[in-house]
Amino acid sequence: MKKKVYFAGSIRGGRQDAELYKRIIEYIQRNHTVLTEHVGDLSKSKTEGLKDRDVAIYEQDTAWLKQADVVIAECTTPSLGVGYELAYAESHGIPVHIFYNKSRTNLSAMLTGNKYFYIHPYKSDAEIFPLIDAIIQWLLFNHLSYSALLISPALFPIIDWRYSFAGPRDSWIGLSKPILKERLLPFL
């Protein structure tokens, strides 16, 4: 089942990571839909637009956020717009995964201190892609109907049952962040 991914990256805040955005978007698009593929468009400029155009951008981006199964954000280049998108996603119960190059920036405490967000620091761009695969696999696993879900007994030790049926959708079994990162990845 194809997932809808809202990819967030800086546009007006700076375009120095646009090449990376493009690679991430193309990687996700191999099997899934990226609602915001324009973020990887190398011709996008960081200049301000006209008021009418800004209203249209806001309306389109919030509509896409409401459709998204997940937000994947690359936050090495700070951006007020991306920060707004992350808060919007959180307020609508959309899972948010934030990537940043820890050798180039310190992520805001407003992100790292928020337990809702999954934070993925990296040193090399190559570290991003296996994590994206794991995130998408987790989404696929997470959106199975509980009534039809058959869980291998081998997975019982890694399931945190306290989070069952929590979150924006009724039919999911949640794993805590440490379990997701440390125990689930070998199974994917």
Side-chain angles (χ1 to χ4, degrees), residues 7 9-24 39-46 74-79 101 104-105 122 125:
F7 179 81
S10 176
I11 295 178
R12 292 187 185 168
R15 296 296 287 158
Q16 55 266 44
D17 292 314
E19 277 286 343
L20 175 59
Y21 303 161
K22 181 179 178 186
R23 288 196 313 274
I24 292 170
V39 176
D41 182 347
L42 301 179
S43 69
K44 285 280 179 203
S45 102
K46 61 181 191 174
E74 206 299 326
C75 292
T76 302
T77 301
S79 166
N101 186 322
R104 290 184 38 217
T105 195
Y122 65 90
D125 297 354

Side-chain angles (χ1 to χ4, degrees), residues 18-175:
E19 277 286 343
L20 175 59
Y21 303 161
K22 181 179 178 186
R23 288 196 313 274
I24 292 170
I25 289 166
E26 288 173 349
Y27 186 82
I28 296 168
Q29 285 179 322
R30 294 176 314 142
N31 298 307
H32 302 283
T33 302
V34 176
L35 301 169
T36 53
E37 63 184 336
H38 65 280
V39 176
D41 182 347
L42 301 179
S43 69
K44 285 280 179 203
S45 102
K46 61 181 191 174
T47 59
E48 256 182 75
L50 302 170
K51 180 67 176 166
D52 290 344
R53 185 167 176 227
D54 287 352
V55 169
I57 290 169
Y58 170 82
E59 289 172 354
Q60 180 61 73
D61 286 359
T62 55
W64 280 330
L65 278 162
K66 290 174 186 172
Q67 293 176 35
D69 295 306
V70 67
V71 172
I72 295 177
E74 206 299 326
C75 292
T76 302
T77 301
S79 166
L80 293 172
V82 171
Y84 184 89
E85 291 165 334
L86 301 178
Y88 191 93
E90 178 186 15
S91 74
H92 286 78
I94 303 161
V96 176
H97 291 265
I98 300 169
F99 291 84
Y100 75 100
N101 186 322
K102 64 184 177 182
S103 65
R104 290 184 38 217
T105 195
N106 290 317
L107 206 56
S108 168
M110 293 301 292
L111 301 179
T112 59
N114 185 332
K115 293 182 182 188
Y116 185 83
F117 298 137
Y118 294 91
I119 308 292
H120 306 284
Y122 65 90
K123 289 182 184 175
S124 161
D125 297 354
E127 296 173 47
I128 297 170
F129 303 103
L131 285 169
I132 288 174
D133 287 339
I135 290 164
I136 301 292
Q137 286 298 317
W138 173 239
L139 284 172
L140 293 169
F141 175 78
N142 220 6
H143 288 96
L144 293 174
S145 169
Y146 180 73
S147 60
L149 181 62
L150 297 175
I151 301 173
S152 165
L155 294 177
F156 285 176
I158 68 166
I159 295 175
D160 187 340
W161 297 100
R162 292 173 300 162
Y163 292 97
S164 296
F165 304 107
R169 294 162 179 86
D170 294 344
S171 58
W172 71 287
I173 297 173
L175 301 182

